[in-house]
Amino acid sequence: MGARVSRGDYEWVYTDEPHATRRKEILSKYPQIKKLMGPDRNLKYIVVAMVLLQLITCWMISVSDCSWSTIFILGYCFGGVINHAMTLAIHEIAHNLAFGHGRPGLNRAFGMFANLPIGVPMSISFKKYHLEHHRYQGDEILDTDIPCLAEATIFCNTLAKVFWVILQPFFYSLRPFFVNYKTPTRLEHINLVVQVSFDVALYYYLGAKPLVYLIAGTLLAMGLHPVAGHFISEHYMFLKGHETYSYYGPLNWVTFNVGYHMEHHDFPYIAGSKLEQVRQIAPEYYDTLPQYHSWSKVIYDFIMDPDIGPYARVRRKNTIGGDGNVDAVPESLTAPKNLVNGCAKNGHATGNGHCKELNGILGAQRKVVNGNVAHQDSPVKKNTEVNGSLKTSCLNGSLMSFAPVSGSNGDH
């Protein structure tokens, strides 16, 4: 069974989520970062290419005599990686980074298109819950990214954590419906109909193996797989006091830079392709923070370290009820209030509704706890330098405290 997890509860804190404060501070010092905000002009072409690649692969499977074992190996090593990248493209699209905030309907439709090879409808539901994860990070109800009490109680030793990682796609997709159920919207029903229609057509014209290849690849690559390491690396508390971490390894190339997660939470309306520039502009806000260079090592440490488990998450008491009302202000975290006024001078197109004035994110968004607003200082100010070197703990080699390390520490 292995070592039992030592934690018996979440890490409860009574400060606000740190990113709104960091965003305001960084922008006041580096206002040029605003120029990076806006959609990624290449995203739609990359997504179309990936969908076509999966369709071509499905056709090749249908006309060949592949064994079932080959189907699953191909799904794990190739198709699953593409489909995992597709889920992260949907993550970008959820922030309206395909066509901009002026075209929300087009973003939603394109998200359904990107959803097709994944095999399971998720694009619309993901957006609904994911924006609350940003706005209410750590909230015991609204942040459904955090494992529920049952998960933390059951998967409490080494062997159990192995199964938890393998079953992660099921927990990740089903948890929101148990923790913070929301009545399905019309767009979610449309997403379901479109996806089922695609799956049925694929089965009818190409047979069962291509459909199994797509769905099995999706599930396998979200479980015990190197690219799935970001699920754990992003917010699991390997180092006390730090609730968001970045990964600066080679797998960012196939995951739309989702590893730049500290940067992403600081600036959700900057596309993944530009997040590296945020770090380059404001290095003192990122280079001195704990960071990862291998998602495979993150998964290994999560399983083997008795101090880490589903409980290793920062959590905050809910103060506003079970509905974050994200739909009412859908881009409150992702677009600056003065985006429309700054579009032209920042290099964004102003025609055809590409830039739209939205109530914004530049002001710190705070929740009131017991009638008081708590503030959290920038992590940069909390680090201590000794003889010119940063003094930060490393855990089993997966968590690093300096600039990215090349060579054997990276994912392969």
Side-chain angles (χ1 to χ4, degrees), residues 1-64:
M1 298 292 286
R4 187 175 181 83
V5 174
S6 59
R7 293 192 66 93
D9 198 1
Y10 304 99
E11 182 77 8
W12 291 95
V13 300
Y14 300 91
T15 57
D16 300 322
E17 66 86 20
H19 297 285
T21 302
R22 284 175 52 87
R23 182 184 309 120
K24 184 177 181 179
E25 182 179 326
I26 295 171
L27 283 177
S28 66
K29 188 173 182 180
Y30 299 106
Q32 65 267 37
I33 287 178
K34 296 177 185 177
K35 296 180 179 180
L36 301 177
M37 296 177 179
D40 181 351
R41 307 301 178 187
N42 295 320
L43 178 61
K44 51 185 173 293
Y45 303 116
I46 296 172
V47 169
V48 170
M50 289 196 297
V51 171
L52 291 177
L53 178 59
Q54 285 292 64
L55 289 176
I56 292 171
T57 304
C58 287
W59 174 78
M60 293 177 67
I61 290 173
S62 71
V63 298
S64 64

Side-chain angles (χ1 to χ4, degrees), residues 338-352:
N338 63 343
L339 181 59
V340 65
N341 297 325
C343 278
K345 68 178 182 180
N346 289 343
H348 299 301
T350 55
N352 300 321

